[in-house]
Amino acid sequence: MPSEIDWIEKAASVRLPARHLVGGDWVDPLADDAFDVISPRDGSLLKRVSHGDAHDVDRAVASARAAFNDRRWSGMRPAARGAVLRRWAELVQEHAEDLALTISLEMGKPVREAKNVELRAVANCLRWYGEIADKRPDESPAAGDDVLALITREPAGVVAAVVPWNFPLTMTAWKLGPSLVAGNSVVLKPAEQTPFSALKLAELGLEAGLPAGVLNVVPGRGDVVGQALGRHMDVDVVTFTGSPAVGRAFLRYSGESNGKRVWPELGGKSASVILPGADIEKAARASAAGSFYNQGQMCSASSRVVVHRDIADEVLHFARLQAREMAPADPLLHDAPSGALVSEQHLQRVLGYVRTAVEEGAELLEGSTGRHSVDGHPNGSYVAPTVLGGVKPGMTIEQEEVFGPVLSVITVDSEEEAIRVANGTQYGLAASVWTRDLSAATRVSRRMQAGIVWVNCFEEGDMTVPFGGVKGSGFGRDKSAHAIDKFTDLKTIWMEVEP
Ligand code: NAD
């Protein structure tokens, strides 16, 4: 058996790059501003990082535009672009340990999960888009003998990718894979909490052969760097994953600038509908785990279990067992079932939701209204997986996205009521249905107002299927060949053919 890595020892010497990537060079920001990146694992300072500002954004967009205009990337054969992405995927795999450790220190997820789940997904995504690069033919409609009609897809130009911290490199790869394979140039703005892993991913992109200027990275504050990208007159597309409020801000920035297209992928309040006759242990455990995984910081988290009254007690029993089995520990330990929340501020927000739920009448069955203590890390941001029973439709905890390890259990008396409750929030990202009755599975999944419905499973899927929502969860779609279309324009070429 290979010897286990001592992550704690490795963490002492981890490299944390902080310069911006512009035009293929590592440059100091033009802005005179900096922020502390704190590790939620123990509250320690990882590094002070310089913020970018609107001038940094101008510089990065100009570099992306120059790279696009001289066709150093967009003019390459698709197969050659694909080869660069596939090489990038290999490099991600080779550097998976260092990237995983960086992510774990930045945002607190167990390093094991970062390596085995997140980095695997990143490599898989880059490889998948690398493989599909030259497998998407254009169209030539049958317009008549005197005409040659072509419908081609052209890269849109300069893409701004603004991403969150919860799956920092997965979300980034989901943006970079399809936008780059289509021939665009990109300016990436990572979340404030996770700049180092993004910069390391970009380093590997350069090493894989991305030409200078095709990928630029400007870390910084959302309301400064993110807003400057959103309002930039020379950005053609914004692809954004994050909160509904900021997603709507990007739509506003677009309307007030050049009308660029914006692809928002926003929050969720996903329901897991468990019907009588389901495999109750599997349904309850998977739904609870789906609510606690990544410390509940998942847009698709199954944060609401909607269960038929006849089986509610059994579901609660298994959900509580699952909660106890996923208690947080130091994320650098091999066997940590869960890690830390992203920050102290976020911890306070999550615990505030739990307190409000109790005040509004929910029953605290597992977890606590206070922080969870983890040995040796009194300043770490840990919250125990929490199960709330007696939650009623309309309560704050039932309506709002908590983005923490908090499961609400809502009891209903019929399939019809379950559908009404599941659809009864502003969100529409994902849902799951648990039943052995094929007709019930079909009926319920058809009526779920959600971009993704899982039947008898949770959070399954691969690169072949799109990920994204409806209603307040936005309308962008990541993954699959459909995501490439977000970054291309249809062009018609109509050519007269002389007889
Ligand atoms: P957030 O909206 O606060 O931040 C996301 C990004 O937007 C960050 O890079 C941030 O710096 C930037 N930003 C913040 N304010 C901005 C502004 N005024 N103008 C421009 N940019 C700004 O979200 P978060 O807290 O980082 O992430 C949590 C949210 O992301 C949750 O709502 C979650 O559901 C959502 N999310 C959605 C998906 C999905 O695929 N649908 C995936 C992961 C996370």
Side-chain angles (χ1 to χ4, degrees):
M1 201 177 110
S3 61
E4 287 194 336
I5 305 160
D6 186 339
W7 294 105
I8 295 176
E9 188 187 302
K10 266 180 168 274
S13 56
V14 73
R15 187 177 59 91
L16 300 172
R19 299 177 87 193
H20 297 189
L21 175 60
V22 180
D25 294 321
W26 297 98
V27 298
D28 289 320
L30 300 167
D32 184 18
D33 192 9
F35 60 102
D36 292 343
V37 180
I38 304 289
S39 177
R41 170 181 173 245
D42 56 6
S44 66
L45 174 68
L46 284 176
K47 190 163 183 162
R48 203 164 161 73
V49 175
S50 295
H51 271 299
D53 69 6
H55 299 295
D56 292 289
V57 167
D58 282 343
R59 183 171 66 169
V61 172
S63 143
R65 177 59 65 190
F68 185 71
N69 284 351
D70 72 13
R71 299 176 53 76
R72 68 188 82 160
W73 176 247
S74 60
M76 272 168 75
R77 283 176 183 267
R81 289 201 296 266
V84 172
L85 291 191
R86 295 198 304 277
R87 174 71 189 127
W88 198 0
E90 284 170 14
L91 289 171
V92 167
Q93 277 174 315
E94 283 167 28
H95 292 80
E97 283 175 11
D98 178 57
L99 290 168
L101 181 58
T102 307
I103 290 175
S104 181
L105 290 170
E106 285 173 330
M107 56 70 69
K109 77 170 66 184
V111 65
R112 186 193 67 251
E113 300 288 343
K115 180 165 174 277
N116 296 342
V117 180
E118 173 131 28
L119 271 310
R120 198 169 284 173
V122 172
N124 209 16
C125 173
L126 295 174
R127 188 180 313 109
W128 196 86
Y129 284 108
E131 285 166 354
I132 202 178
D134 59 349
K135 296 174 187 62
R136 301 206 343 130
D138 285 334
E139 297 165 45
S140 177
D145 284 350
D146 54 345
V147 162
L148 178 63
L150 296 174
I151 305 169
T152 60
R153 283 200 168 272
E154 308 284 323
V158 174
V159 173
V162 180
V163 294
W165 43 261
N166 62 333
F167 286 89
L169 294 194
T170 311
M171 294 300 109
T172 301
W174 285 7
K175 310 300 187 198
L176 297 185
S179 58
L180 288 174
V181 82
N184 296 282
S185 298
V186 177
V187 179
L188 167 69
K189 193 207 88 65
E192 289 87 325
Q193 298 86 344
T194 50
F196 310 120
S197 52
L199 290 162
K200 285 183 174 181
L201 182 68
E203 281 176 2
L204 298 178
L206 286 188
E207 194 181 330
L210 283 179
V214 170
L215 173 60
N216 306 273
V217 187
V218 183
R221 285 170 47 157
D223 56 351
V224 180
V225 175
Q227 171 155 210
L229 283 166
R231 292 188 181 278
H232 206 287
M233 297 300 284
D234 208 22
V235 167
D236 300 292
V237 184
V238 167
T239 176
F240 169 75
T241 292
S243 59
V246 178
R248 285 174 201 169
F250 271 108
L251 293 167
R252 218 169 40 243
Y253 303 154
S254 167
E256 290 169 3
S257 58
N258 61 345
K260 59 181 71 63
R261 105 194 63 151
V262 174
W263 296 108
E265 291 173 56
L266 311 175
K269 193 73 193 173
S270 303
S272 187
V273 174
I274 308 181
L275 298 174
D279 177 338
I280 293 179
E281 177 167 5
K282 183 178 172 200
R285 280 187 174 273
S287 304
S291 179
F292 306 142
Y293 186 71
N294 211 39
Q295 297 65 246
Q297 300 162 136
M298 272 206 307
C299 50
S300 51
S302 53
S303 50
R304 295 180 301 150
V305 160
V306 181
V307 58
H308 196 280
R309 190 172 307 280
D310 293 350
I311 53 171
D313 287 347
E314 225 180 319
V315 164
L316 274 172
H317 167 74
F318 288 115
R320 294 179 68 173
L321 284 184
Q322 191 66 35
R324 285 180 224 148
E325 289 169 18
M326 290 180 74
D330 181 342
L332 298 191
L333 297 179
H334 288 277
D335 54 356
S338 299
L341 263 65
V342 69
S343 65
E344 184 62 24
Q345 189 190 11
H346 190 53
L347 172 142
Q348 294 303 342
R349 184 173 171 271
V350 169
L351 292 178
Y353 271 117
V354 178
R355 282 193 286 270
T356 303
V358 172
E359 280 160 24
E360 290 182 9
E363 196 183 348
L364 184 60
L365 300 173
E366 292 292 334
S368 154
T369 53
R371 86 174 52 237
H372 180 83
S373 86
V374 163
D375 280 352
H377 296 313
N379 297 322
S381 307
Y382 299 94
V383 168
T386 300
V387 178
L388 295 166
V391 174
K392 300 276 180 279
M395 283 183 179
T396 308
I397 197 75
E398 199 267 335
Q399 289 291 310
E400 295 189 13
E401 185 180 39
V402 175
F403 225 55
V406 182
L407 177 70
S408 296
V409 179
I410 305 138
T411 307
V412 294
D413 290 300
S414 66
E415 181 183 305
E416 191 61 32
E417 189 184 355
I419 293 170
R420 198 168 54 244
V421 171
N423 288 339
T425 74
Q426 61 159 315
Y427 294 105
L429 184 53
S432 60
V433 187
W434 300 84
T435 175
R436 289 195 179 96
D437 176 342
L438 190 56
S439 293
T442 310
R443 276 194 308 271
V444 177
S445 45
R446 279 186 179 155
R447 290 182 60 194
M448 285 291 115
Q449 294 167 353
I452 308 153
V453 181
W454 292 291
V455 178
N456 293 330
C457 59
F458 178 74
E459 201 62 51
E460 297 296 333
D462 61 16
M463 285 304 302
T464 60
V465 289
F467 186 99
V470 299
K471 303 200 304 189
S473 296
F475 48 82
R477 290 289 181 278
D478 282 321
K479 302 202 300 168
S480 84
H482 294 285
I484 303 175
D485 295 342
K486 298 191 304 186
F487 306 106
T488 60
D489 291 309
L490 288 175
K491 176 182 276 180
T492 297
I493 300 177
W494 184 272
M495 222 185 297
E496 243 177 52
V497 176
E498 290 181 8

